Amino acid sequence: MVHPAVLFLGTSLTAGLGLDPDESYPARIQEKIDAAGLRYRVINAGVSGETSAGARRRIDWLLDARPASVLVVETGANDGLRGIDPADARANIHAIFDRARQQAPPPALVLIGMAAPPNLGSRYTEQFRGIYADLARENGAVLVPFLLEGVAGIPRLNQPDGVHPTAEGQRLLADTVWTHLRPLLK
């Protein structure tokens, strides 16, 4: 029997850069799913360095290869690091959701919020942060306000690069996402 899929479309934060794949937050979500006796299979489609444009380019073949019951979208961190116009990131994420809704039946949608670094100015960071709540509301997606809540800026929870969570940090990311994802899994 093939179990319904929870597809995580994301960046290096989702991929678990620098860690064993079993330590990524999607792998930790699979553990929570199994412990709850739910019959879902997590697919980690995180790619290091990817922007929202890259995620948009991949969504067709990802959904064609394995239709998802739930699509979790974590993208934009690299857009923010590169100073990409928030309107472009917004359009890419919206296109990802539009494509997902073409699947029959369409998956439940989860959007994981991200923040831009403060060095790009307060106007940019406000515009960037705002796209997530707006997109979630417009697309009926469940919003995880900020993936790195309680992890960002805490040295012991991040690898030496100060950006990518340690295994302990990834556990906390899984807890954050699980709070919002669990109600969607029946």
Side-chain angles (χ1 to χ4, degrees):
M1 176 182 180
V2 176
H3 297 308
V6 179
L7 175 62
F8 284 82
L9 175 65
T11 66
S12 58
L13 298 170
T14 293
L17 180 73
L19 303 173
D20 184 283
D22 291 339
E23 295 174 316
S24 69
Y25 80 86
R28 300 296 184 190
I29 295 282
Q30 182 70 67
E31 292 171 0
K32 292 175 180 298
I33 287 170
D34 295 345
L38 299 168
R39 297 193 171 273
Y40 289 86
R41 185 173 69 107
V42 165
I43 299 171
N44 186 342
V47 172
S48 295
E50 185 169 75
T51 62
S52 62
R56 179 180 183 174
R57 283 190 295 273
R58 288 191 308 130
I59 193 62
D60 281 334
W61 68 263
L62 285 168
L63 291 176
D64 288 346
R66 183 74 158 99
S69 293
V70 180
L71 173 62
V72 181
V73 177
E74 175 272 309
T75 192
N78 293 311
D79 297 61
L81 289 172
R82 295 174 190 177
I84 292 172
D85 186 336
D88 291 342
R90 184 184 203 295
N92 288 326
I93 296 168
H94 204 291
I96 290 166
F97 286 153
D98 286 347
R99 168 56 180 91
R101 281 191 291 273
Q102 292 173 10
Q103 178 185 286
L109 303 172
V110 177
L111 180 59
I112 297 180
M114 196 49 60
N119 64 316
L120 297 171
S122 62
R123 183 167 182 256
Y124 181 89
T125 56
E126 287 173 24
Q127 286 178 339
F128 188 87
R129 195 183 227 0
I131 67 173
Y132 293 95
D134 290 347
L135 282 165
R137 188 173 38 257
E138 292 168 12
N139 290 280
V142 171
L143 177 66
V144 178
F146 183 48
L147 178 63
L148 299 171
E149 189 68 43
V151 175
I154 301 173
R156 70 179 176 77
L157 297 176
N158 288 280
Q159 296 176 48
D161 66 8
V163 175
H164 296 95
T166 61
E168 182 182 354
Q170 286 276 344
R171 271 192 205 91
L172 294 173
L173 270 54
D175 292 344
T176 296
V177 173
W178 182 245
T179 299
H180 301 278
L181 176 62
R182 174 62 181 99
L184 299 176
L185 306 180
K186 298 175 176 86

